[in-house]
Every structure is written in structure tokens, then in C-alpha cells.
Amino acid sequence: MNARDDARRQVLIVGGGIAGMTAAIALAGRGHTVDVVERNPDWSVTGWGLSLTGPSLRALQRLGLADACIDGGFGLTQISNCDSAGRTRNVIDLPLLLGPDMPALAGLSRGVLHEVLRDAALARGAVLRTGMSVAALEQTADGVTARLTDGSARHVDLVVGADGIRSTVRDMLGMPAEPAYTGQMVWRAIVPRPGWATTLHTFAGPVHNAGLIPISQDQAYAFVTENHADSGVLPQEELAERMRDLLNVFSGRVAEVAATIKDPELVVRRPVHAGVVDGPWHRGRTVLIGDAAHAPSPQMVSGAALAIEDSLVLAEELGLHDDVETALEAFGRRRLERCRLVVETSVKVGELEREGRHAEAHKLQDRCHQVMAQPI
């Protein structure tokens, strides 16, 4: 059944990250009234970068935003997998989902992406409210009453939980799906881009793995995946030195990059968690998207792709069904297995990395990228 053209809904989105902002853009672009609440009072993001794979760019293109992200970052077509000395052992040619003259992947800073998404959401009429979140949800026969942390209440047709890997909305819905710690920590640092860094590089070390992704003509972000790591918090002032120490076992190009990691304020260290809600992703008229529903580890660089795809599919299904819950059921059917595959593959790749079975890990990554290249 096609929904009526005047079936416009009141939507409350909890979380202003990639999932929440792209959902706001997709839904407001279809005429729905959209409010986004974000706990962070100044909507700031840390300055390191991320990778937008082909599926991410394809989804962003449908929102009219792919060009802005590519222009604000650095376009790539390959992943070069190297040994600890920087010798190339394997090259993955990524699917050119936007056409032969467009990049397959873009590296860019989170700040640039954040600005692109915020401006697009505002231009489409979404209202963004910072310094607040949801305190309680009450499902009713005709919608959801959301009580916010500022003491106000909203009655809406739909609540979208886009509040990340430690989702408050997921907890309120009683979904037992706390993502599990994988035993790895990921370090990231903003560094000057070397002239040779024109692809996404990974480096397989004897214990840990490293990589470099250009995010502009001048900058790149370096990363280290620390295996069998203590998940405790380290003092910020020690992070640059400790990241260099992890990279001491690498030579060649990695050593060149490591020498440029000097400012601890440009380094972040985060535990890797992964997991997927084993469906359904909704209760009544409240639904989870993005990392709240499915959090892959970074080995598949596909967390952003899944989140943006969720936003598009959710908007599509709400446009196809008069009944909100029917639309949410259809959304879950379209998304669950694809997202589960990426999460489970990412975890398996991490296991293979910890065992030093890098060739197997690269083949598994390649197969999953091919599946992700298929239309949503």
C-alpha cells in the first residue's frame, strides 16, 4: 500500500551523530516534521577522521551530499595492505559505485562531515536542540510521548533512537544487546599527509596493526589497532608518546608517520565494541538505527555506510505504508541481515588479525565489500 501524499509525521530523533543527522535530512526532505535532540551541548566532534566507503557515498549521493563530502576530503580508489616495513602485499580495488570518474571511497575529517550534515538538515527544516536527550518514553495507541531531560514532553508519531553504541533508547525499549568489547583498542591521530599517501594503507605488524588514511590534501589520520589491550583510560597527555611506542616495531613509511605524532590533543584512544540487536529493531513506534542497532568494529570501515543506508530505507518505508509500525517492520526486514553480515565479518576480521592471519582477513574484507556494493 502506498502512503497518502499528506501522511506527514511528527518525528523525534534522539542523537545528532551520522545516523541521526542523515535520518533528519532524509525524513525532513520527504516533508516530515523533524526534531533532533543531542546530549552534547555544543555539538562538537573530535578532530580525527573517518572513511566513507562506496556504499556511504552512494547513500549520500541520494541525499545530494556526496560531492560536498568528496570535495571536503580526499578521494580514494584502493586499499593497499602492507607488511610492517611498508611493502605492499595485497591491493583491494574498491567498487566504483558512483561511476568510473568518481572515487570509490573518501577520507575526511569528522568536523567536515558534521558541518555538511548539519547544514543540510537545517536547510530541509529540521530543528536541532542541543544539551538535552530523552529521559523516558511512553508508547500510546497513536504515537509516543517522550519526556526530555529539560523537563519538557513531546507527543510524536515516531521516535528514532540514533544515540549510538551505548544507546539510552535501546535500554528504554528493553533490548538486551550491549555491544561486547572485542579485546582491541583503536588509536587515531591527525598527521601531515605524506606525498605517497594516495590510497588507504594498512600495515600488518607482529602484534598490532596500523594504517593511514588521507583526509585532505594536507592531512591524514594514522591509526593503530592495539590487540589484547587493557581497556582502561589513559591520561590524555601521554597518548602521543604511547602511540609512537606502539609504532616502534614498524619501519619505513610507518616510522615516517610515527615521527609526526607529537600533539597529544590530536590523538584519541577508544575501545572497540561490536554487536547487533537480533531484531526486531522497534517497539511500537520507536525504532533503532545506526550503532544503536548494529555496531561493527572498524575493520570493515562500514559503520557510517550502514547508518546512512538505515536513514534512507527508513524514510522510504515510511513513504510506502500508512501504518508506522508496518513501515518499521518492513525497515527491519530490509536491514537486519545486511547489517548482521557486516558486524559479524568485522569481528571475524579482528580475530584473524589478532592471530596474525592477515591474508585470510584481507580476503574476508574483500568479499564483504563486494556484498556491500550491492544495492540496498
Side-chain angles (χ1 to χ4, degrees):
M1 180 188 303
N2 290 330
R4 301 182 308 275
D5 290 340
D6 62 351
R8 303 297 184 237
R9 278 95 177 199
Q10 299 277 339
V11 182
L12 175 67
I13 298 173
V14 182
I18 295 173
M21 297 303 287
T22 54
I25 295 164
L27 291 168
R30 286 176 172 255
H32 302 292
T33 301
V34 177
D35 285 288
V36 181
V37 292
E38 162 58 39
R39 188 181 302 276
N40 190 334
D42 61 3
W43 220 290
S44 62
V45 294
T46 50
W48 38 265
L50 79 165
S51 302
L52 294 174
T53 59
S56 301
L57 295 175
R58 177 176 59 194
L60 287 165
Q61 187 178 55
R62 290 177 55 184
L63 295 174
L65 302 176
D67 287 344
C69 292
I70 294 169
D71 292 345
F74 195 100
L76 308 164
T77 60
Q78 293 179 325
I79 298 176
S80 298
N81 296 307
C82 309
D83 63 17
S84 61
R87 294 182 292 263
T88 301
R89 297 304 192 198
N90 169 272
V91 174
I92 297 175
D93 291 304
L94 298 168
L96 300 173
L97 301 186
L98 301 189
D101 299 323
M102 297 290 285
L105 178 149
L108 77 166
S109 77
R110 285 184 176 266
V112 169
L113 178 60
H114 186 78
E115 183 176 349
V116 169
L117 297 181
R118 180 198 61 201
D119 291 349
L122 292 173
R124 287 161 175 78
V127 176
L128 315 179
R129 307 180 191 278
T130 60
M132 69 175 70
S133 187
V134 64
L137 296 172
E138 180 184 353
Q139 305 277 355
T140 66
D142 62 345
V144 187
T145 298
R147 304 193 182 281
L148 303 180
T149 54
D150 68 345
S152 65
R154 293 286 312 279
H155 187 76
V156 296
D157 299 301
L158 172 65
V159 172
V160 179
D163 51 343
I165 196 166
R166 293 182 176 85
S167 170
T168 298
V169 174
R170 186 181 63 225
D171 292 342
M172 290 178 180
L173 297 180
M175 296 182 179
E178 186 68 25
Y181 177 53
T182 67
Q184 293 179 313
M185 299 289 289
V186 172
W187 300 66
R188 297 180 177 94
I190 298 296
V191 297
R193 183 183 73 85
W196 50 263
T198 57
T199 68
L200 189 164
H201 282 78
T202 72
F203 303 91
V207 180
H208 311 302
N209 303 296
L212 188 73
I213 302 174
I215 60 173
S216 72
Q217 291 298 320
D218 300 321
Q219 290 185 318
Y221 80 84
F223 65 87
V224 180
T225 304
E226 181 185 6
N227 293 314
H228 313 293
D230 181 350
S231 61
V233 177
L234 297 176
Q236 182 69 39
E237 63 271 17
E238 297 180 9
L239 294 187
E241 180 180 0
R242 286 185 177 238
M243 187 171 178
R244 290 196 305 271
D245 288 343
L246 288 173
L247 295 172
N248 276 341
V249 297
F250 296 86
S251 59
R253 288 176 166 179
V254 180
E256 172 191 340
V257 171
T260 68
I261 301 173
K262 299 177 180 179
D263 186 349
E265 295 302 318
L266 297 180
V267 180
V268 293
R269 177 180 182 265
R270 297 286 186 268
V272 176
H273 291 82
V276 60
V277 176
D278 195 19
W281 293 345
H282 76 283
R283 298 282 190 274
R285 294 190 179 197
T286 301
V287 66
L288 303 178
I289 67 171
D291 280 355
H294 45 76
S297 66
Q299 276 81 1
M300 283 307 304
V301 289
S302 292
L306 294 181
I308 304 166
E309 289 181 352
D310 280 354
S311 298
L312 288 171
V313 174
L314 179 62
E316 287 176 0
E317 292 299 335
L318 286 170
L320 292 173
H321 303 279
D322 286 319
D323 180 67
V324 172
E325 290 190 51
T326 301
L328 299 184
E329 290 170 359
F331 162 74
R333 285 194 299 271
R334 287 180 62 182
R335 298 300 296 152
L336 177 57
E337 292 310 316
R338 183 180 180 91
C339 296
R340 190 201 308 276
L341 171 68
V342 174
V343 172
E344 292 180 350
T345 299
S346 72
V347 172
K348 182 61 177 178
V349 169
E351 293 172 355
L352 292 171
E353 287 179 347
R354 290 194 294 276
E355 296 169 5
R357 297 158 62 185
H358 300 294
E360 294 175 61
H362 297 156
K363 289 179 181 178
L364 194 57
Q365 286 172 311
D366 194 14
R367 287 199 298 270
C368 192
H369 281 303
Q370 296 300 324
V371 172
M372 282 292 291
Q374 300 303 311
I376 60 175

